[in-house]
Amino acid sequence: QSVLTQPPSASGTPGQRVTISCSGSSSNIRSNTVGWYQQLPGTAPKLLIYSNNQRPSGVPDRFSGSKSGTSASLAISGLQSEDEADYYCAAWDDSLNGRVFGGGTKLTVL
Amino acid sequence: EVQLVESGGGLVQPGGSLKLSCAASGFTFSGSAMHWVRQASGKGLEWVGRIRSKANSYATAYTASVKGRFTISRDDSKNTAYLQMNSLKTEDTAVYYCTTYDYGVDSPFDYWGQGILVTVSS
């Protein structure tokens, strides 16, 4: 059971906008910033969003993040076939004194 | 170019030990906290633990399931981090990633190694 809760799956058609939620608690998401990763099969995770809503250089602006209270969201607009991947949220947990991840959401582009 | 290269993985019997290494280059290793994250086949990411820099007293932290069995260390002179794994269990079977990140700086970074497979089986 992951500390952060994500839906196991999401889907959309090309061009659509999809959102992936991440639910936590006061000791992680409320207290600390949230990051989002994209993982393609057989590869290491790649950072998409850090500090709740910041994009590293090179990440398309189709990806955006937000946070409110104990929840965070990743939005992907203009969905493309290459966006099909697993997505993970992450945050530091002050009670556990460790980094926690969501269970991951498998995004399917129909 | 930043590189994190893990080595030392392989097959080990339950109860055995294994030591992973993570050789770093292309960034200021000595000033960076180093983390280990693992991923069992078909499962999600699990943070294993981290070691902070000398400036932060090389403080370590671990997830509950590995406390007392795993030890993270570093050698700043070799730009290398280590994960010593003892009393291994079948549930420790996973791909282990070495990673580092810092978002609170002028040039935020987040780097991962390619991962190395550890299989615990008789």
Side-chain angles (χ1 to χ4, degrees):
Chain A
Q1 228 78 326
S2 302
V3 174
L4 304 181
T5 301
Q6 296 180 235
S9 63
S11 63
T13 56
Q16 262 191 336
R17 182 178 187 270
V18 296
T19 61
I20 297 172
S21 62
C22 175
S23 177
S25 68
S26 57
S27 62
N28 42 65
I29 292 181
R30 188 186 295 279
S31 307
N32 299 289
T33 62
V34 177
W36 288 90
Y37 291 90
Q38 177 192 62
Q39 188 178 33
L40 299 171
T43 69
K46 171 192 170 185
L47 184 69
L48 289 178
I49 298 290
Y50 68 95
S51 298
N52 305 326
N53 55 17
Q54 301 299 301
R55 274 187 315 276
S57 59
V59 173
D61 60 6
R62 301 187 297 106
F63 295 90
S64 62
S66 64
K67 185 182 97 167
S68 178
T70 59
S71 294
S73 297
L74 172 71
I76 310 172
S77 59
L79 200 61
Q80 300 179 2
S81 58
E82 56 261 41
D83 297 333
E84 192 161 283
D86 294 324
Y87 293 83
Y88 295 90
C89 57
W92 189 263
D93 190 295
D94 292 333
S95 295
L96 298 174
N97 191 30
R99 202 176 200 202
V100 291
F101 290 92
T105 297
K106 184 175 184 62
L107 176 63
T108 301
V109 181
L110 303 169
Chain B
E1 180 197 6
V2 171
Q3 280 198 308
L4 292 173
V5 180
E6 300 97 340
S7 60
L11 174 64
V12 61
Q13 291 190 336
S17 297
L18 208 58
K19 186 173 185 177
L20 305 183
S21 298
C22 170
S25 60
F27 67 100
T28 307
F29 177 84
S30 61
S32 304
M34 298 301 298
H35 300 248
W36 290 91
V37 173
R38 67 185 180 183
Q39 186 172 35
S41 180
K43 303 297 184 183
L45 302 170
E46 180 185 23
W47 180 82
V48 173
R50 66 102 168 98
I51 184 166
R52 300 185 74 180
S53 65
K54 181 179 181 180
N56 291 288
S57 305
Y58 298 126
T60 56
Y62 302 92
T63 192
S65 62
V66 309
K67 261 181 204 171
R69 299 189 300 122
F70 289 11
T71 302
I72 298 174
S73 61
R74 63 191 296 160
D75 185 338
D76 291 344
S77 69
K78 295 182 179 179
N79 282 2
T80 301
Y82 304 97
L83 177 63
Q84 175 69 48
M85 302 182 291
N86 298 330
S87 303
L88 281 161
K89 305 175 181 180
T90 55
E91 52 263 42
D92 295 320
T93 295
V95 172
Y96 284 74
Y97 294 100
C98 168
T99 173
T100 183
Y101 68 94
D102 190 343
Y103 308 141
V105 293
D106 290 338
S107 298
F109 60 86
D110 187 292
Y111 307 132
W112 292 66
Q114 82 285 358
I116 191 136
L117 179 62
V118 171
T119 303
V120 184
S121 174
S122 54

